[in-house]
Amino acid sequence: MTKVQEKQAQKRKDIIETIVPLLEDTPFEELGVEDICKAAGISVGSFYHYFEKKSDILTGLFTRIDTHLEQNVFPAMTKRSEADNLRIFAIEWLKYIEATGLEHSRLISAIDATDLNLDGEERSSVTVLAQHFARGQRLGTLDDSLPAKEAASLFMIALRGISLDWTRRNACYSLTERGSIYIDFLLKALKK
């Protein structure tokens, strides 16, 4: 990434961070671009320099998750067993969703899932998961009936499904506790 791209990515991140608190009081659909610009201290023209459309703000929420994972989770994924590393990833991902709250989860659940960030590059969470699946498959400890990238994609679909159920049930149970049960079940099926 060039310095210009890094600056643009940082500015997008700053704008997203600025409006997250607004989303606690105002539904995204009711939040106008002007409201976003006022909160971020930018002009409407600047907004459209960083985002093609208002909904790109929601896609940017995935960047928040990826940043959290890069800083707090990926360094912990050093276990010998790739299944253990996948469990660490899953549980920490679910903890993040639960900690950011129901409204945040509703927003994420409402947008199209994507493996690309706003710069059109593969999201780090997708890359890291695929690497761990590939390693487990090479070592013969994880099922290899699917290519690693596809297995990683299905793993993320499972995580999003667990989160979506929690969201649709208005957070009536602990996402982390119930998610742990589901993830352990899934990992048993993935182990060789």
Side-chain angles (χ1 to χ4, degrees), residues 85-154:
N85 287 326
L86 295 174
R87 185 177 197 288
I88 289 167
F89 178 94
I91 299 306
E92 292 302 321
W93 194 86
L94 294 170
K95 282 181 185 176
Y96 176 87
I97 298 298
E98 193 167 30
T100 55
L102 187 57
E103 290 308 313
H104 191 268
S105 184
R106 279 195 177 107
L107 288 170
I108 290 173
S109 298
I111 60 176
D112 294 336
T114 179
D115 290 343
L116 302 177
N117 63 25
L118 288 172
D119 295 318
E121 300 167 346
E122 187 172 71
R123 293 178 51 215
S124 60
S125 57
V126 173
T127 303
V128 169
L129 268 182
Q131 290 168 347
H132 284 279
F133 267 99
R135 183 172 182 268
Q137 290 173 341
R138 275 193 316 276
L139 294 172
T141 60
L142 292 178
D143 183 283
D144 61 359
S145 59
L146 288 175
K149 190 156 176 96
E150 192 171 338
S153 180
L154 288 174

Side-chain angles (χ1 to χ4, degrees), residues 10 17 24 30 64 78 82 90-91 105-107 126 167:
Q10 183 60 49
E17 291 299 322
E24 293 174 13
E30 294 176 19
R64 292 181 85 220
T78 59
E82 289 306 327
I91 299 306
S105 184
R106 279 195 177 107
L107 288 170
V126 173
T167 302

Side-chain angles (χ1 to χ4, degrees), residues 4-63:
V4 171
Q5 290 171 320
E6 285 178 17
K7 281 181 135 177
Q8 288 178 327
Q10 183 60 49
K11 187 62 177 178
R12 276 196 293 269
K13 181 181 173 189
D14 292 345
I15 294 168
I16 291 165
E17 291 299 322
T18 300
I19 70 145
V20 167
L22 295 177
L23 297 172
E24 293 174 13
D25 299 323
T26 308
F28 184 74
E29 303 78 33
E30 294 176 19
L31 195 62
V33 170
E34 296 81 14
D35 300 319
I36 295 168
C37 293
K38 183 177 178 183
I42 60 171
S43 68
V44 172
S46 291
F47 176 86
Y48 286 109
H49 174 74
Y50 295 108
F51 301 98
E52 227 176 273
K53 54 194 178 302
K54 179 181 141 186
S55 63
D56 285 347
I57 291 281
L58 297 177
T59 304
L61 293 175
F62 285 129
T63 302

Side-chain angles (χ1 to χ4, degrees), residues 81-84 140-143 184 186-192:
S81 162
E82 289 306 327
D84 289 343
T141 60
L142 292 178
D143 183 283
D184 288 343
L186 177 61
L187 289 171
K188 282 181 189 175
L190 290 171
K191 289 181 186 177
K192 274 190 154 184

Side-chain angles (χ1 to χ4, degrees), residues 105 109-110 159-169 173 175:
S105 184
S109 298
L159 286 175
R160 286 192 299 265
I162 294 165
S163 299
L164 180 61
D165 181 72
W166 177 78
T167 302
R168 293 219 168 127
R169 293 175 191 265
Y173 57 82
L175 177 61

